Amino acid sequence: MGRHLILTVHGIGEQKPGETVDQVVGAATTWLDGKPRPPIEVERGMIELAESTFDGNPRNAELFEVNLRTVTDPAVPQDKAMFAEVFWADRSPAPKGAIKTVMDLIWVILALGYLAMDNAEQTHSRKGVAPDQPNGRNTLAAQLVHLFTWIFFGAVATLNVYLLIGAAAVMTDRIPVSFSQNPALLFLLLFGLYAGGTVVGLGQSRAAPTYLRRVFWRGMLGMGAALTLCLILGPLGLEFWACVPSDTESCPPALEQFVAFQVFLLSLFWAVLIFLTIILYALSLAKLQINDTLTEHRRLYPSICAGMLVFWMFFISGLWLTIEQLLETVSWLSGGQLQRLFESNLNESIETLSVAFVAIVLLGFVGVGLFAGRKTYKANLHTRNGLISRAIVNRLAQWVFLFGTIVLVLVTIREIAANQNFEAACNVGIMDTNLISWALDRLACSQGEIGLIVLGATALMYRFSDFVSAGLGVARDIVTYAIRDKCYLGKDLETRQRNYPDRKAIDERFYRTLYYVLDIFPADHVTVISHSQGTVIATQMLADPRVQKRIGGRPLTLVTMGSPVTHIYQRYFPEMFTLAASQLNAAWFNIFRQDDFVGTEIEGGLIFANRNIPVDPGGHTGYFTDYQVWKALTDPAIGFDLFNPVPQAVQT
């Protein structure tokens, strides 16, 4: 009699409940190389389990689906296999619709800050303090990354929100009612909107469920209060600060003065972010203090911060340019105050767009070159140089972000030196000046053409929002796993490990699924089949003493496919994701396609060399139904069988 439990853990994507477990059951019962499998009976089942202990907090139980498939051999009814799915795709659902997709894109760019914080904290140690002790990771690099995210979420993002709110208020002058153009009524409208944003920020600053969302709402509170005060005291209100015209000097209208103040604040915070990024690049050169055998570059946080600058500038500029285009092309919107504000002030808030555009173009060239190189050398790609074998966090892409940051610094320094009154020399030849000045001038002079391209890219994103949202899924799922509840920079390791609500919830699903299934199905052998991000979940949970206690010494086989466990997670987040093979108490086999851009070999001696099993190229998806994968699974080296798998030696 054989009783075999097969637990499936899917990777990133928009899987539906039951989808991956059905794929595994279907492939496991399909004829292989024309050899008929014995007839089997499949019983479908599903139960909803609680996400957490039902203790009244929250009052209503939060449930998740567990899809079960019981396979029986009619000829030997005692032989049974139970397939169970650990489903977690609903923890980061894809947005629906163009507007939600754009907002999700902006959120993902901002939320990359979580990855930067984790990488900075886990690759620097405070001198004289053990890394797992309180303040062991409270280093200058980590503090500056936290400051970077605070400014990004709490100042730059919120100022853009208030500028958008103000733009909406100013557009009321296009309403064909004369009193809507009354300056006093405009003041009251702006006051209501800004004060309203402050009140909402106050309420959400405590209620928001995650760390950086609370930072954003605290920024809405603080920035909203400051702007409301400036509105009252400034040129639109009591005029305590305002430009007063004289016989020799003219002053812009009061509204333009107020907007110019906001744009100045935005430029100031933007410049601080740029210089912080350069400092982070310098700090990343410090000696590593990580005691494992992985090599290559391991500090990713400066490139993440630089990437946030580049992508934010590109996509937010696209949003502002879209608004500007609407003002110019829609007849009843044109000619109003907002259009004049764009001409006099708001264009300055996107003046570094050209640098972001060049970085995006260079990233495109890197992507095309990487795609071509990987396509050409896809056989045994995992054995080649890291510049071509690594697609995720590729070093060439990191160099592009470094280049973009350096150029942003040069542009910012020149604007500061010129007191923001600099005009580019568009007709000067390369022989008439130095190379750097000529290149910066050409960027500034190409702002209009670049703006049109960015506007076109924004329109394409809107038109193909479904495609964009699908591509966003990868980044969103990875970021979801890194979202933290509180700052906890100065806490000990155990406290910080509990600080990831979505990660904790996903891990709890694994444990509760395993616990329930072993209650109803006392298996003789347990096999865990996982893919991509699911391999990270599986390895982390199999190292959990609770899980090992529940398995209770049963023979355990772990199959990871397309796994980023070591070359991404352990490399860049070593404190949280470094494993010891003995913790898993499993016979671990790793199957990967030679051209997989996410998963490759398990490094660092975690598994026997012959248990890293490459198969022919085929990308990253579709492992669960891949013929070559199942050919490897049923090989005697792994010995997968529906009812009586062959126990293999445990890796120690």
Side-chain angles (χ1 to χ4, degrees), residues 332-576:
W332 70 273
L333 292 177
S334 60
Q337 293 185 88
L338 185 57
Q339 189 170 13
R340 292 194 294 274
L341 289 174
F342 264 100
E343 294 171 355
S344 60
N345 288 290
L346 290 180
N347 278 331
E348 294 180 12
S349 66
I350 55 174
E351 59 194 354
T352 52
L353 169 62
S354 53
V355 180
F357 175 78
V358 171
I360 295 289
V361 170
L362 288 176
L363 282 176
F365 279 115
V366 169
V368 170
L370 189 61
F371 175 81
R374 291 175 63 84
K375 196 77 172 174
T376 303
Y377 302 106
K378 59 184 179 181
N380 295 314
L381 190 59
H382 60 289
T383 64
R384 298 184 180 276
N385 183 280
L387 290 180
I388 191 171
S389 66
R390 300 282 189 252
I392 304 294
V393 295
N394 184 272
R395 291 300 304 279
L396 290 174
Q398 295 176 47
W399 293 341
V400 170
F401 289 132
L402 173 59
F403 166 79
T405 305
I406 292 172
V407 178
L408 280 171
V409 167
L410 293 175
V411 169
T412 304
I413 290 174
R414 187 167 73 164
E415 289 176 353
I416 293 173
N419 198 26
Q420 295 189 337
N421 294 320
F422 178 81
E423 292 187 7
C426 298
N427 298 318
V428 174
I430 190 171
M431 302 302 295
D432 300 322
T433 184
N434 64 73
L435 180 61
I436 294 177
S437 295
W438 179 85
L440 295 179
D441 282 339
R442 296 315 305 163
L443 283 177
C445 295
S446 303
Q447 191 82 11
E449 294 83 351
I450 290 171
L452 291 175
I453 297 172
V454 172
L455 187 61
T458 306
L460 286 174
M461 285 173 53
Y462 182 88
R463 176 67 180 82
F464 298 103
S465 60
D466 290 343
F467 175 78
V468 173
S469 65
L472 273 176
V474 175
R476 191 190 325 103
D477 285 343
I478 293 173
V479 166
T480 295
Y481 206 59
I483 288 174
R484 59 175 68 187
D485 180 28
K486 295 180 173 65
C487 174
Y488 279 175
L489 177 58
K491 301 292 185 178
D492 60 85
L493 177 59
E494 184 178 352
T495 304
R496 283 185 283 121
Q497 285 177 324
R498 297 195 301 266
N499 194 33
Y500 299 87
D502 285 292
R503 183 187 304 176
K504 182 180 177 181
I506 293 169
D507 290 349
E508 195 65 21
R509 287 188 179 189
F510 184 104
Y511 176 68
R512 289 174 180 264
T513 300
L514 178 69
Y515 195 100
Y516 170 77
V517 174
L518 286 177
D519 256 353
I520 64 169
F521 186 79
D524 303 318
H525 190 110
V526 177
T527 296
V528 178
I529 299 178
S530 55
H531 171 243
S532 188
Q533 183 89 353
T535 69
V536 180
I537 298 165
T539 51
Q540 290 295 299
M541 289 311 296
L542 290 179
D544 189 324
R546 295 182 306 157
V547 171
Q548 287 295 322
K549 182 178 179 180
R550 187 60 180 158
I551 292 173
R554 294 177 176 88
L556 173 63
T557 301
L558 169 63
V559 179
T560 54
M561 301 183 295
S563 174
V565 163
T566 53
H567 79 281
I568 293 180
Y569 278 88
Q570 184 177 337
R571 182 179 307 283
Y572 297 110
F573 313 105
E575 184 179 42
M576 300 288 187

Side-chain angles (χ1 to χ4, degrees), residues 255-276:
L255 179 61
E256 287 190 22
Q257 294 182 50
F258 182 62
V259 172
F261 173 70
Q262 294 178 70
V263 172
F264 169 75
L265 282 181
L266 184 60
S267 302
L268 177 65
F269 285 119
W270 189 252
V272 171
L273 288 179
I274 291 170
F275 286 109
L276 270 178

Side-chain angles (χ1 to χ4, degrees), residues 557-637:
T557 301
L558 169 63
V559 179
T560 54
M561 301 183 295
S563 174
V565 163
T566 53
H567 79 281
I568 293 180
Y569 278 88
Q570 184 177 337
R571 182 179 307 283
Y572 297 110
F573 313 105
E575 184 179 42
M576 300 288 187
F577 295 98
T578 296
L579 294 165
S582 58
Q583 293 176 287
L584 307 182
N585 195 30
W588 183 357
F589 300 90
N590 180 57
I591 302 172
F592 62 96
R593 297 195 181 119
Q594 295 170 9
D595 66 336
D596 193 326
F597 61 89
V598 174
T600 181
E601 294 178 305
I602 298 296
E603 303 170 302
L606 282 177
I607 66 176
F608 298 127
N610 62 350
R611 291 186 176 180
N612 269 314
I613 305 170
V615 297
D616 287 346
H620 182 61
T621 59
Y623 272 88
F624 289 125
T625 54
D626 187 332
Y627 161 77
Q628 292 197 18
V629 169
W630 282 95
K631 189 72 172 175
L633 281 171
T634 55
D635 187 90

Side-chain angles (χ1 to χ4, degrees), residues 49 60 79 119 179 190 327 353 392 430 448 587:
L49 299 178
N60 296 317
D79 282 352
N119 180 250
F179 71 81
L190 286 172
L327 294 174
L353 169 62
I392 304 294
I430 190 171

Side-chain angles (χ1 to χ4, degrees), residues 125-322:
S125 295
R126 188 172 179 183
K127 188 174 182 180
V129 181
D132 62 341
Q133 296 303 306
N135 284 316
R137 296 296 190 183
N138 193 6
T139 61
L140 177 60
Q143 291 168 358
L144 291 183
V145 170
H146 278 262
L147 176 62
F148 180 96
T149 53
W150 261 85
I151 294 174
F152 220 126
F153 269 78
V156 171
T158 54
L159 275 169
N160 272 279
V161 170
Y162 279 114
L163 282 170
L164 284 168
I165 290 173
V170 171
M171 285 174 64
T172 57
D173 72 339
R174 297 292 83 198
I175 299 174
V177 180
S178 58
F179 71 81
S180 67
Q181 300 182 26
N182 187 316
L185 291 176
L186 177 61
F187 170 84
L188 291 175
L189 179 58
L190 286 172
F191 176 82
L193 290 171
Y194 279 42
T198 304
V199 172
V200 173
L202 176 62
Q204 291 294 318
S205 62
R206 294 183 179 178
T210 56
Y211 171 54
L212 288 183
R213 287 186 187 273
R214 286 193 294 274
V215 171
F216 172 78
W217 288 113
R218 287 169 186 171
M220 289 292 290
L221 167 61
M223 203 61 66
L227 291 176
T228 303
L229 182 63
C230 291
L231 181 67
I232 295 171
L233 301 178
L236 285 170
L238 300 176
E239 298 186 357
F240 284 179
W241 65 269
C243 172
V244 180
S246 64
D247 294 336
T248 59
E249 180 184 2
S250 61
C251 287
L255 179 61
E256 287 190 22
Q257 294 182 50
F258 182 62
V259 172
F261 173 70
Q262 294 178 70
V263 172
F264 169 75
L265 282 181
L266 184 60
S267 302
L268 177 65
F269 285 119
W270 189 252
V272 171
L273 288 179
I274 291 170
F275 286 109
L276 270 178
T277 305
I278 283 292
I279 294 171
L280 290 174
Y281 270 109
L283 291 175
S284 70
L285 300 176
K287 183 180 179 181
L288 282 169
Q289 296 175 322
I290 302 173
N291 298 319
D292 62 31
T293 60
L294 301 185
T295 58
E296 295 186 24
H297 182 69
R298 303 184 68 168
R299 287 183 175 140
L300 198 61
Y301 60 87
S303 297
I304 294 175
C305 293
M308 290 172 67
L309 294 176
V310 168
F311 287 120
W312 176 265
M313 174 54 65
F314 189 81
F315 293 119
I316 290 297
S317 295
L319 179 62
W320 283 111
L321 288 167
T322 300

